[in-house]
Amino acid sequence: MTFLAADLNSAGPLITSLTTVGKFLSLTAGFTTIGLLLAMGFLLFDKAGKLSGAALVLRNYAAITSALWAVGQGLNILTTLANILGTDLVGALDPTSLRSFVSQIALGKYMFIQLCLALLISVIVLRAKTVATANALLLTSIVAMVAPVFESHAASSGSHSLAIGSLVVHVVALSFWVGGLIAITVLSAKDRAIALPRFSALALWSVIAVVASGSANAWARLNFQDAWSSNYARLVILKVVLAAILIYFGYLNRKHLSGKWQINLSALSRLLFIELAIMLLAVLAGSRLSSMQPPTRADSGVIDNGIAIAGMSTPEAPNLWHLISLYDPDALIIAVLVTAVALYIRGVVLLTRRGDKWPVGRTVAFALGISAVDYATSGGLGVYAKFSFEYHMITHMVLGMIAPIGIVLGAPITLALRTLPGGRNKDELGIRGAFITLLHSKISNFYTNPVVALAIFDGSLFALYFTPLFKNLMQGHSGHFFMSFHFLLTGILFFQVIIGIDPLPRKVPHLVKIIIIFAAMSIHAFFSIALMSASTLIDGGYFASLERPWATDL
């Protein structure tokens, strides 16, 4: 939870205290909002895609908690600015300083984005009537929660991709765990019995993600030799102890209450509320940690622009061995890939247990596609992509034109349709029903139009590389993450239309597919010529600023 602040306590004890209060309020309200939306869209029954009566009650709570989230984040913005300026809250309310902070400073921008999204959720949630809307708001709330992570303490540490990515995973998992628990406690006994089986499984995986991501983050950031004697370490140890107690209480809940159709409040309240109290203490400890500077790894004293700009030490000159052996884990992308692989394997296992067969070739193709994504983002190719435009473009080609072929030929949509669970009762749409509705929606019909897929696949090249967008995205991890997933998703969409074996809303004639392929080839050729003919640095001098000893171009 150490993700919403800087170690700037120069404005005095009052501002320091208000900083902790603001972070605790925004964290608690944010987690609660996510938990309520999770219960509305996933944990409770729906009625043919419409929100149930219990979900409509939670909708009113979510409007309140999201408004409180915005209030807490507004206080965070003011106290952070007061710390930076070394002044009180009155000084932080200066319109010029406040406007400059939220429009020009990266941390201020991300905090303001969270504030705006929280306000947006509070306005829209009262109008939500369908599960789809609740899930869309859930996704928005997760984006809001993780936005400031990209400018946290971890953003300035070594192993940037590991530190930031693991922290994002940490925050998302905590949001599901803490928020889900809070939502469970406000449900009626009958609704709690409905929601607990799904939440119990989700909480288990959230705990695993919290522990794994927290360990990875600590390894990437902390100087363990100096950390043990610091107040920071004592708070971390307290959080670890509290987390262990929470895991134990979660085990008791699963052991004593699973399988009962109606869970009486008196049988559950003692464990749940004690667990919730301990969890809020952990959140409070995390709020305090976020205003403290962790003991970082020792500085070698050698100035390395790679660490300052790209988030890792400048590698040696590229060669075959380095391209094979180097690995800088991008924890966020790895988490997405691990989730995709786990779901795919689970689907294959379910089919096998049913006595159905799944072609081995599809599994191999999917595995190769996922491996290509990992190599292009965390392997040697991904490492040099941060230091050379040449390797950046190779990475672009792998993510957009090679990896998608394997993933598409793995037929993940078909596998999902054959293995996703249906509704839990005769009225519920269920996960499979919601997925089918999405596949047949107007949005899906629009994006799978071959002309639209081609326009996104090729048109985005010009939008990215011939506008200031590329220069801006290269400046931070959020930009790198956005580009990687944009390349991958546009490639998957394009090849799904051209060679996909999964069902689509419309059947594309083979002649149209051939025309689209030749059109894509022509546009790519024109793009390449235009790019090589450019007379200005499209990266704004990013690669030159790295001052790589083995490359003097770009």
Side-chain angles (χ1 to χ4, degrees):
M1 298 177 202
T2 60
F3 57 89
L4 286 180
D7 184 37
L8 298 167
N9 297 320
S10 58
L14 177 61
I15 295 298
T16 301
S17 300
L18 288 176
T19 298
T20 302
V21 170
K23 290 170 185 174
F24 179 73
L25 177 60
S26 64
L27 280 173
T28 305
F31 286 160
T32 304
T33 300
I34 290 175
L36 293 172
L37 292 172
L38 178 68
M40 291 167 57
F42 180 69
L43 300 181
L44 294 173
F45 286 156
D46 64 71
K47 295 181 179 179
K50 303 292 185 180
L51 294 177
S52 64
L56 292 177
V57 173
L58 296 185
R59 182 182 67 177
N60 298 327
Y61 296 156
I64 297 173
T65 57
S66 56
L68 290 175
W69 186 7
V71 171
Q73 187 61 6
L75 181 58
N76 283 339
I77 292 175
L78 293 177
T79 55
T80 301
L81 181 58
N83 279 320
I84 292 174
L85 299 177
T87 184
D88 54 15
L89 283 181
V90 176
L93 286 170
D94 175 66
T96 302
S97 300
L98 188 58
R99 183 172 58 252
S100 298
F101 179 62
V102 299
S103 62
Q104 300 178 18
I105 307 300
L107 176 60
K109 291 179 182 178
Y110 284 118
M111 296 178 76
F112 187 63
I113 287 173
Q114 187 179 94
L115 171 62
C116 292
L117 290 178
L119 288 174
L120 181 66
I121 293 169
S122 68
V123 172
I124 296 178
V125 70
L126 288 174
R127 297 170 173 80
K129 297 180 180 180
T130 65
V131 171
T133 304
N135 288 329
L137 290 175
L138 175 61
L139 179 61
T140 303
S141 65
I142 293 173
V143 171
M145 182 61 74
V146 303
V149 171
F150 293 100
E151 287 298 324
S152 65
H153 289 315
S156 59
S157 63
S159 301
H160 181 96
S161 297
L162 177 60
I164 289 293
S166 60
L167 198 52
V168 171
V169 175
H170 197 70
V171 171
V172 173
L174 276 173
S175 300
F176 287 148
W177 186 19
V178 179
L181 178 62
I182 295 174
I184 289 291
T185 59
V186 301
L187 293 174
S188 66
K190 183 177 180 180
D191 291 328
R192 193 176 296 120
I194 295 170
L196 266 176
R198 280 191 174 180
F199 174 70
S200 181
L202 180 64
L204 173 62
W205 289 108
S206 296
V207 169
I208 294 173
V210 166
V211 173
S213 60
S215 301
N217 190 263
W219 172 260
R221 299 170 55 202
L222 296 182
N223 179 353
F224 289 97
Q225 183 176 358
D226 297 336
W228 296 111
S229 60
S230 66
N231 290 330
Y232 190 94
R234 297 185 183 98
L235 275 177
V236 170
I237 293 172
L238 174 62
K239 276 189 61 181
V240 171
V241 173
L242 293 175
I245 296 174
L246 287 171
I247 292 172
Y248 176 70
F249 273 97
Y251 164 76
L252 292 181
N253 288 337
R254 290 173 62 93
K255 180 179 179 180
H256 294 294
L257 303 173
S258 61
K260 296 183 179 179
W261 169 243
Q262 183 167 345
I263 300 175
N264 189 278
L265 182 61
S266 61
L268 181 67
S269 58
R270 184 165 57 252
L271 284 176
L272 278 183
F273 283 102
I274 292 176
E275 185 177 358
L276 182 60
I278 297 173
M279 188 168 284
L280 290 178
L281 285 176
V283 173
L284 182 60
S287 302
R288 179 56 185 152
L289 278 173
S290 65
S291 63
M292 301 171 64
Q293 179 66 41
T296 56
R297 294 182 181 274
D299 189 354
S300 64
V302 179
I303 298 177
D304 189 341
N305 287 351
I307 295 178
I309 299 173
M312 64 172 295
S313 300
T314 302
E316 298 180 7
N319 56 41
L320 181 60
W321 171 245
H322 289 154
L323 286 170
I324 295 174
S325 62
L326 288 181
Y327 195 82
D328 181 47
D330 189 323
L332 182 53
I333 293 180
I334 290 175
V336 175
L337 297 181
V338 168
T339 302
V341 170
L343 292 174
Y344 195 93
I345 292 175
R346 177 173 174 78
V348 174
V349 170
L350 287 175
L351 283 180
T352 303
R353 288 177 178 175
R354 274 194 335 222
D356 298 330
K357 292 185 178 180
W358 183 255
V360 176
R362 292 183 180 181
T363 304
V364 172
F366 187 81
L368 291 175
I370 293 295
S371 299
V373 175
D374 182 59
Y375 176 66
T377 53
S378 298
L381 189 57
V383 169
Y384 284 106
K386 301 174 184 176
F387 292 88
S388 170
F389 185 69
E390 172 189 359
Y391 288 97
H392 166 84
M393 292 306 295
I394 296 175
T395 296
H396 177 172
M397 296 301 105
V398 172
L399 290 174
M401 298 184 181
I402 297 178
I405 294 176
I407 293 174
V408 166
L409 293 179
I413 295 177
T414 300
L415 181 61
L417 290 174
R418 294 179 62 181
T419 57
L420 283 176
R424 289 169 289 182
N425 60 25
K426 61 184 179 61
D427 296 323
E428 187 179 38
L429 190 62
I431 299 176
R432 184 176 182 275
F435 188 56
I436 293 175
T437 301
L438 176 62
L439 289 177
H440 293 282
S441 66
K442 293 182 179 179
I443 294 178
S444 179
N445 191 61
F446 172 78
Y447 281 105
T448 55
N449 185 305
V451 177
V452 174
L454 174 65
I456 296 174
F457 185 64
D458 280 341
S460 60
L461 296 176
F462 296 91
L464 176 62
Y465 292 106
F466 289 105
T467 68
L469 185 60
F470 178 64
K471 174 185 66 176
N472 295 331
L473 291 177
M474 289 299 295
Q475 303 305 316
H477 186 71
S478 57
H480 290 278
F481 177 78
F482 172 81
M483 283 189 289
S484 295
F485 269 87
H486 169 75
F487 297 149
L488 180 62
L489 293 179
T490 55
I492 290 175
L493 174 63
F494 180 78
F495 286 104
Q496 184 68 51
V497 172
I498 300 301
I499 63 172
I501 53 182
D502 287 320
L504 292 176
R506 59 159 54 87
K507 185 174 180 60
V508 181
H510 293 298
L511 180 60
V512 174
K513 293 181 179 180
I514 294 174
I515 294 174
I516 292 297
I517 291 176
F518 278 104
M521 293 170 58
S522 302
I523 295 173
H524 265 81
F526 176 77
F527 167 77
S528 301
I529 294 173
L531 188 63
M532 290 186 292
S533 302
S535 58
T536 58
L537 293 178
I538 64 173
D539 66 338
Y542 167 82
F543 289 108
S545 66
L546 293 170
E547 298 181 354
R548 304 144 299 169
W550 42 265
T552 57
D553 59 334
L554 293 179

